[in-house]
Amino acid sequence: MEKKDNIEKLILENIDALNDNEPMDGHFARFEAKLAEQNKAKRTISLNLILRVAAAIVFVFLATNQAFIYFSPDNQGIFNSKQKSPSITLASISPEYQEVEYYYTSSINTGIEQWNKWIDEGLISEDEQTMMNDELAEFETLYKNLQTDLAANPNDERVINAMLEYYQAKLSVINIIITKLEEVQQKTQEFEQETTAI
């Protein structure tokens, strides 16, 4: 209690001197610049980490499924055929799968449109654009492999499930990225509002 009383006494005795002192010129601008730099670094690190973790999870899951299909006894030789298979999708199998495929492709396209909008607004760095383009290219390669499997085995439930899992994984990755970017954008706006109020 005595220390607290001493501190209070010291503050009360020097209240005028404490209230008169202003920070040096440019203090707030330097402080704001440092905060903005820290916020940008955190955003880049967190987005990069999320992209990598999501991609790793998705591709391990899908690679396992592809390996299972590849090594199953009734599918030997499918991957070694040199003939081009026609482009086939879930929509060509049944109307129910057509609805499911439409839902996923529409949702994925909406997420990609949002991503492209943020690119146009300058909210996405070139590194993040490159990383996302690489991820989408890997998804496209995987999709073509799944189409080949589906063309060879249109009624194989494992191939159909792999195709559905592909759509789910791609949508999940895009949703994670969009959600994280929305959070970062919201925090940035809140930070800007707070610094404007100061």
Side-chain angles (χ1 to χ4, degrees):
M1 287 297 235
E2 190 173 308
K3 281 186 180 182
K4 184 177 178 184
D5 291 337
N6 287 338
I7 292 173
E8 274 185 52
K9 182 180 175 185
L10 183 63
I11 290 173
L12 290 174
E13 288 175 359
N14 296 305
I15 194 84
D16 291 333
L18 291 172
N19 285 336
D20 286 344
N21 290 335
E22 290 282 329
M24 294 182 340
D25 288 338
H27 170 75
F28 291 114
R30 287 189 304 276
F31 181 71
E32 186 176 324
K34 284 181 182 179
L35 284 177
E37 188 176 316
Q38 283 179 336
N39 190 22
K40 183 179 178 183
K42 285 181 185 177
R43 180 178 144 227
T44 302
I45 290 170
S46 64
L47 183 60
N48 289 342
L49 182 62
I50 288 171
L51 277 172
R52 288 180 182 164
V53 169
I57 291 170
V58 167
F59 286 109
V60 165
F61 179 69
L62 292 174
T64 303
N65 198 357
Q66 283 292 310
F68 178 73
I69 292 170
Y70 179 77
F71 290 114
S72 68
D74 55 339
N75 289 331
Q76 292 297 317
I78 292 172
F79 293 92
N80 297 328
S81 74
K82 293 184 179 180
Q83 65 182 20
K84 289 268 185 182
S85 61
S87 181
I88 186 169
T89 63
L90 290 178
S92 61
I93 294 175
S94 78
E96 291 83 17
Y97 289 133
Q98 181 179 10
E99 289 178 25
V100 171
E101 187 173 53
Y102 177 76
Y103 164 76
Y104 282 120
T105 55
S106 297
S107 300
I108 289 167
N109 289 338
T110 301
I112 291 174
E113 286 171 10
Q114 181 66 38
W115 175 264
N116 289 333
K117 178 183 167 198
W118 284 335
I119 290 173
D120 293 341
E121 292 175 4
L123 299 174
I124 308 295
S125 71
E126 286 185 26
D127 290 340
E128 293 166 342
Q129 289 178 39
T130 302
M131 193 179 333
M132 182 67 145
N133 289 339
D134 291 345
E135 296 299 325
L136 291 176
E138 289 181 30
F139 270 115
E140 189 61 29
T141 301
L142 183 60
Y143 180 71
K144 287 181 182 178
N145 290 339
L146 288 170
Q147 277 187 313
T148 302
D149 294 347
L150 192 62
N153 299 302
N155 296 320
D156 189 338
E157 285 296 317
R158 295 172 299 175
V159 177
I160 293 170
N161 286 335
M163 187 72 93
L164 292 172
E165 290 166 0
Y166 159 82
Y167 283 126
Q168 290 169 349
K170 187 172 182 179
L171 180 60
S172 177
V173 167
I174 290 172
N175 283 340
I176 288 170
I177 293 166
I178 296 298
T179 301
K180 190 63 178 174
L181 283 173
E182 286 172 346
E183 288 174 10
V184 168
Q185 189 176 23
Q186 183 179 4
K187 287 180 182 178
T188 302
Q189 288 173 350
E190 288 172 3
F191 173 73
E192 289 172 356
Q193 289 173 353
E194 288 174 6
T195 57
T196 304
I198 293 176

